[in-house]
Amino acid sequence: MTNPAPNPTSIATVSLSGDLAEKLQAIAAAGFDAVEVFENDFLTFDGGPREVGRMVADLGMRICAFQPFRDFEGMPEPLRARGFARAERKFAIMNELGTDLMLICSNVSPQALGGIDRAAADFHELGELAARFGVRVGYEALAWGRHVNDYRDAWEIVRRAEHERIGLILDSFHTLARQSPLGPIASIPGDRIFLVQLADAPKLDMDVLSWSRHFRCFPGQGDLAVAEFMRAVAQTGYAGPLSHEIFNDQFRAGSARRLATDGMRSLIALADQAQPHLPARAKVLDVEFIEFALDEDTGADLAQLLAALGFRHSGQHVSKAVARWSQGGINLLLNTETDGFAQSHAIMHGPGACAIALRVDAVEQAMTRALGLKIQSFEQAVGPGELHIPAIRGVGGSLIYFTQPSGELGQIWERDFEAVPPAAGAPSPDRLARVDHISQSMDYEEMLSWLLFYSSLFALERIPQLAIADPAGLVESRPLVSPEGGVRFVLNGSQATRTLSSRFVSEHFGSGVQHIAFSAPDIFAAVQAMREAGLSFLAIPENYYEDLEARHGLDPAFIDALRDHHILYDRDVEAEFLQVYTHVFAQRFFFEIVERRGGYAGFGAVNAPVRLAAQAREARPVTMPRSLREI
């Protein structure tokens, strides 16, 4: 697989938070070749244009454009003359900045006069002025432009201007937001395109200006056909910069360095979509194991809880204080090491999941793609004869390990663990089959970052975002599911500070796994066995079951069984979903048991407000519980 000669990479300073110096440092650290300097960032900078130019050059980049210049073409006098005077001053600043391209967006002034030829004549004259300064002008059609709001009209103006200093700027958002056809792009000569700007966005029913100003995001984080746009651009032979221009309220509150890294990752993934040069997105086959970082006391408590859930202590690591607990196809590792990564994670975040191992189709290709996407790898020492399992950094500084069905990396349980003989007596049947889904809570501002992380690295399908009502505010929930539905992640974040999701992040120093769902072939039998083992479950109000009977017309005996076991119910046509929750363990995380019937594909979102309200009632500061009825 060959890697095509890449276009230079760029990002507009308006895309990131911080002052100009902070933005430039973040952009350089992410590996961009160039930057678009947004005029407001320049105007608020305490220094001259030459200083800005030196800053950019010292960071190993160049300024590919100075922007925006507004309301130029088609203006009546004396506004027309004033526009040329403004442009002359901007050209002089560009000379000092060290950039040769100015972006002019289509006129939105109510005083603007229409007419392709009038606009072309203005640009031809501007081209003559630009030639005196040795600079170029790129013209972009704003989706809300007064007379020009389609790239085809902008190109026709550039074509009729007939000046080498006048070219076209294409922007994916303005093109795709108006649903302009992409086919005509291929007929535009690549050397007449001076800049290509890239932005995605979620599909929203709102006016295009507000949509653009508040909801743009990096390619791969939204719903627009940016890859198809890029394939059309590639047909032109365009070899100039690919640059992000993002306006997003979420981004303005986020880390400039994280966002710049996301921007670079999205460009790499987008280029790979347009012309593949990385291994394909990794196919996730299953969850190999979930590892918990614990101290000795919480390790004993969690082992007690797992035993009540039907798990068996089935293995012990050959050289570390790591116990394997298993049931069906589920493997949970309890790590009580007193040094190393897991202990560091426990000190920082408290007891909880510190690592997830995913079984993928090909580990080497998955790691190659991860590194190509600038995802950080993780290395740690292993003992003699033990497996070296490749890993990358995941949510909240946790790890994602990679295993595969065959070969050395399919032998983790044989190589790294000694089997623990089963306890005396008749073995209890497996009540749980596999990991159904893993739910991770994070800062709201990070959700798009992790959405891009998962969807660019793994072959996971994005499910439309859900808004869940917590008693303390809304929680945004974004599921990602493997094509066969075997592996599911749910990303949660909230702008409200007191939701369960937000308190998980703020009270435990960062993002992480907040709950894990296990599938049960028979949820009633599973819950009954667990209750007989001394386990209790999250109490669901009587009102819920009264409403359930009214909504679905279920058999009263079935409703009674749901009520007796604290099981929640949802139905989608003929498909059914049953779910029950443990109490929160160590005020940190909890487990869910689910049964899917008839191909149900959701997550019981209709029941989430009920569950969250019940958990809010239970939330209280307590010491570490020792009783199964509390854990």
Side-chain angles (χ1 to χ4, degrees):
M1 189 178 298
T2 60
N3 187 351
N7 294 80
T9 56
S10 173
I11 186 170
T13 57
V14 71
S15 307
L16 306 180
S17 61
D19 61 30
L20 181 58
E22 291 169 333
K23 294 181 180 191
L24 293 177
Q25 290 164 6
I27 291 166
F32 283 92
D33 303 306
V35 60
E36 293 181 58
V37 173
F38 201 71
E39 186 175 46
N40 281 358
D41 288 316
F42 170 71
L43 295 177
T44 57
F45 177 69
D46 187 20
R50 290 187 186 276
E51 186 177 347
V52 174
R54 281 195 301 270
M55 286 171 56
V56 174
D58 289 346
L59 290 167
M61 301 184 296
R62 68 182 182 87
I63 302 174
C64 70
F66 184 50
Q67 65 117 331
F69 191 86
R70 304 183 188 278
D71 297 337
F72 168 73
E73 81 283 6
M75 295 296 277
E77 294 292 359
L79 296 176
R80 183 177 186 276
R82 192 178 305 161
F84 278 91
R86 285 191 296 126
E88 186 169 5
R89 289 195 296 271
K90 299 301 182 185
F91 291 159
I93 291 173
M94 290 167 60
N95 284 166
E96 293 189 69
L97 283 172
T99 185
D100 74 335
L101 179 63
M102 180 169 71
L103 179 154
I104 294 184
C105 43
S106 58
N107 207 320
V108 299
S109 170
Q111 296 169 292
L113 305 172
I116 296 287
D117 288 331
R118 177 184 286 108
D122 286 345
F123 274 107
H124 182 86
E125 186 174 337
L126 187 63
E128 292 294 295
L129 179 60
R132 287 169 39 199
F133 288 86
V135 300
R136 301 174 299 150
V137 172
Y139 183 47
E140 172 189 62
L142 293 179
W144 54 90
R146 182 168 178 81
H147 298 291
V148 176
N149 51 36
D150 189 301
Y151 77 87
R152 291 168 294 180
D153 292 331
W155 166 237
E156 183 61 19
I157 289 170
V158 168
R159 191 184 68 80
R160 294 190 194 185
E162 294 185 308
H163 202 289
E164 63 179 359
R165 298 281 174 171
I166 305 297
L168 181 67
I169 291 180
L170 290 173
D171 182 298
S172 63
F173 177 84
H174 293 301
T175 301
L176 299 169
R178 289 185 51 81
Q179 301 182 9
S180 299
L182 300 178
I185 291 176
S187 64
I188 302 171
D191 61 354
R192 303 303 300 142
I193 302 172
F194 285 179
L195 184 65
V196 172
Q197 294 179 320
L198 299 169
D200 203 341
K203 288 184 178 178
L204 299 171
D205 185 15
M206 63 190 311
D207 71 276
V208 69
L209 177 57
S210 298
W211 189 19
S212 172
R213 285 290 175 258
H214 301 284
F215 295 99
R216 291 203 207 188
C217 52
F218 292 124
Q221 295 177 329
D223 303 313
L224 301 182
V226 186
E228 286 79 357
F229 172 86
M230 271 306 306
R231 280 190 276 269
V233 170
Q235 294 181 61
T236 70
Y238 172 74
L242 300 177
S243 187
H244 290 303
E245 186 189 43
I246 311 296
F247 302 90
N248 188 298
D249 296 342
Q250 226 172 306
F251 285 20
R252 293 185 183 99
S255 158
R257 293 220 169 204
R258 174 175 54 81
L259 291 168
T261 300
D262 288 347
M264 178 56 69
R265 181 170 298 146
S266 74
L267 282 181
I268 295 169
L270 181 62
D272 184 63
Q273 281 184 274
Q275 191 170 352
H277 61 278
L278 293 174
R281 292 188 301 161
K283 183 177 181 181
V284 187
L285 307 176
D286 208 344
V287 177
E288 186 75 63
F289 65 79
I290 301 172
E291 181 176 2
F292 294 86
L294 308 156
D295 60 25
E296 190 172 321
D297 287 340
T298 54
D301 283 338
L302 185 55
Q304 188 183 12
L305 172 57
L306 294 181
L309 287 166
F311 287 87
R312 292 176 290 276
H313 182 198
S314 58
Q316 195 69 34
H317 195 276
V318 295
S319 67
K320 299 176 182 176
V322 179
R324 176 191 180 192
W325 287 74
S326 56
Q327 180 176 187
I330 309 166
N331 291 289
L332 306 178
L333 302 184
L334 276 55
N335 188 325
T336 55
E337 285 281 286
T338 56
D339 59 12
F341 169 77
Q343 189 213 28
S344 299
H345 192 276
I347 291 172
M348 177 63 70
H349 300 282
C354 64
I356 300 166
L358 299 177
R359 193 180 306 148
V360 297
D361 54 344
V363 169
E364 184 178 354
Q365 289 88 330
M367 282 299 295
T368 298
R369 183 172 181 86
L371 295 176
L373 291 168
K374 296 187 177 293
I375 294 171
Q376 184 182 356
S377 63
F378 175 82
E379 299 282 343
Q380 64 181 345
V382 298
E386 296 174 17
L387 283 177
H388 176 268
I389 307 176
I392 58 175
R393 291 282 186 176
V395 171
S398 64
L399 301 181
I400 296 178
Y401 290 103
F402 292 130
T403 68
Q404 59 191 34
S406 59
E408 188 177 68
L409 288 172
Q411 300 174 5
I412 176 176
W413 307 119
E414 295 80 6
R415 288 275 296 275
D416 284 10
F417 285 82
E418 294 178 347
V420 172
S428 58
D430 287 340
R431 300 297 187 184
L432 305 178
R434 60 194 314 278
V435 175
D436 184 86
H437 61 272
I438 299 172
S439 179
Q440 296 176 305
S441 290
M442 57 201 60
D443 281 323
Y444 180 76
E445 292 77 18
E446 293 183 356
M447 285 189 69
L448 288 175
S449 296
W450 292 111
L451 178 67
L452 177 63
F453 171 92
Y454 279 113
S455 61
S456 63
L457 178 56
F458 300 114
L460 297 173
E461 298 174 354
R462 298 182 303 171
I463 306 301
Q465 184 164 298
L466 303 170
I468 307 298
D470 182 287
L474 285 180
V475 176
E476 301 293 338
S477 186
R478 191 67 187 258
L480 298 107
V481 180
S482 64
E484 297 79 16
V487 176
R488 304 174 181 90
F489 287 94
V490 181
L491 311 184
N492 297 312
S494 176
Q495 296 186 75
T497 60
R498 298 305 299 165
T499 61
L500 184 68
S501 175
S502 292
R503 287 188 287 109
F504 173 89
V505 175
S506 63
E507 294 173 6
H508 299 282
F509 306 104
S511 310
V513 173
Q514 189 169 19
H515 97 257
I516 300 164
F518 304 123
S519 66
D522 183 340
I523 194 170
F524 291 102
V527 171
Q528 182 60 40
M530 293 166 190
R531 293 175 68 180
E532 291 172 359
L535 192 63
S536 68
F537 291 89
L538 182 70
I540 304 301
E542 174 66 25
N543 292 337
Y544 169 79
Y545 296 101
E546 294 291 340
D547 178 69
L548 196 64
E549 186 172 12
R551 280 191 294 122
H552 293 294
L554 299 171
D555 182 87
F558 183 64
I559 291 285
D560 288 342
L562 294 173
R563 179 188 293 109
D564 290 345
H565 290 81
H566 299 296
I567 294 172
L568 297 104
Y569 176 88
D570 187 31
R571 185 166 67 195
D572 182 5
V573 190
E574 296 302 316
E576 297 176 299
F577 187 64
L578 295 88
Q579 55 190 151
V580 65
Y581 294 90
T582 69
H583 302 290
V584 175
F585 177 83
Q587 302 180 59
R588 177 66 175 157
F589 61 89
F590 56 95
F591 297 113
E592 177 186 5
I593 299 160
V594 307
E595 182 184 346
R596 298 177 182 272
R597 298 177 176 179
Y600 183 96
F603 297 87
V606 68
N607 293 323
V610 178
R611 183 260 298 178
L612 287 165
Q615 288 176 321
R617 283 192 294 273
E618 283 197 350
R620 63 190 185 277
V622 294
T623 57
M624 176 57 62
R626 306 298 298 178
S627 165
L628 270 177
R629 294 193 178 275
E630 292 178 303
I631 64 175

